[in-house]
Amino acid sequence: MREKFRQFMAGRYGTDALNQFLSIAAVVLILLSLVTRLGLFSWLGLAALIYCYFRTFSRNISRRTEENYRFYSFQERLMGKWKGVKRRWADRKTYRYYRCPKCRQLLRVPKGRGRIEISCPRCGTQFIKKS
Ligand SMILES: [Zn+2]
């Protein structure tokens, strides 16, 4: 039996971080559908599960590897955003955040200094804001 399974899996992709995420998401969605009694969640959970199995047994390994890389970079971007939100929340009393009108760079200025001229360190644009 084990040998058969090994033969079956030969040349197939197997599991990765994205599949782990998908299987957890499927369980969470199905639990949600049980709690909320919304059919939508169970369909989404089923879709996640099917996609997970499809990826595990796929023979197109380079394509699946690429998907996993994209998943990693998406996860990193999300974590970066979350860190930014956390930091802004932590120093909301002492700093104000503005975006440069030209290059959209996020700038942090100390609060309570009245109207100040801010110059963007990235592109050099100057603009006036209340701090
Ligand atoms: Zn700028």
Side-chain angles (χ1 to χ4, degrees):
M1 185 60 205
R2 266 185 86 142
E3 186 57 27
K4 264 197 176 147
F5 182 70
R6 218 177 55 80
Q7 268 171 23
F8 175 72
M9 285 307 290
R12 292 177 197 265
Y13 183 66
T15 194
D16 63 7
L18 176 53
N19 272 353
Q20 274 165 25
F21 171 78
L22 283 170
S23 50
I24 291 167
V27 171
V28 170
L29 284 164
I30 288 164
L31 283 177
L32 267 177
S33 81
L34 291 175
V35 173
T36 61
R37 295 180 179 277
L38 279 173
L40 175 72
F41 287 124
S42 59
W43 286 115
L44 286 173
L46 197 66
L49 207 63
I50 290 170
Y51 187 45
C52 175
Y53 276 106
F54 160 75
R55 294 189 73 253
T56 304
F57 300 128
S58 170
R59 288 183 189 277
N60 193 345
I61 289 170
S62 62
R63 188 83 187 270
R64 301 287 88 80
T65 308
E66 198 189 302
E67 280 170 359
N68 195 41
Y69 272 126
R70 261 183 299 179
F71 171 68
Y72 273 134
S73 68
F74 172 74
Q75 206 179 28
E76 248 159 52
R77 264 205 316 263
L78 215 66
M79 289 309 279
K81 269 207 178 120
W82 171 240
K83 269 189 196 149
V85 168
K86 253 173 44 183
R87 206 183 73 176
R88 283 173 76 160
W89 181 253
D91 53 35
R92 68 192 181 281
K93 281 184 181 140
T94 41
Y95 291 100
R96 221 173 228 284
Y97 287 83
Y98 288 110
R99 276 205 187 276
C100 168
K102 200 173 161 194
C103 70
R104 313 292 301 150
Q105 167 79 29
L106 192 64
L107 306 168
R108 191 176 76 160
V109 293
K111 252 185 173 174
R113 302 264 174 93
R115 284 166 68 81
I116 51 165
E117 191 179 61
I118 303 165
S119 61
C120 172
R122 194 159 98 181
C123 69
T125 306
Q126 299 196 323
F127 57 103
I128 290 169
K129 285 277 181 203
K130 231 183 89 189
S131 70

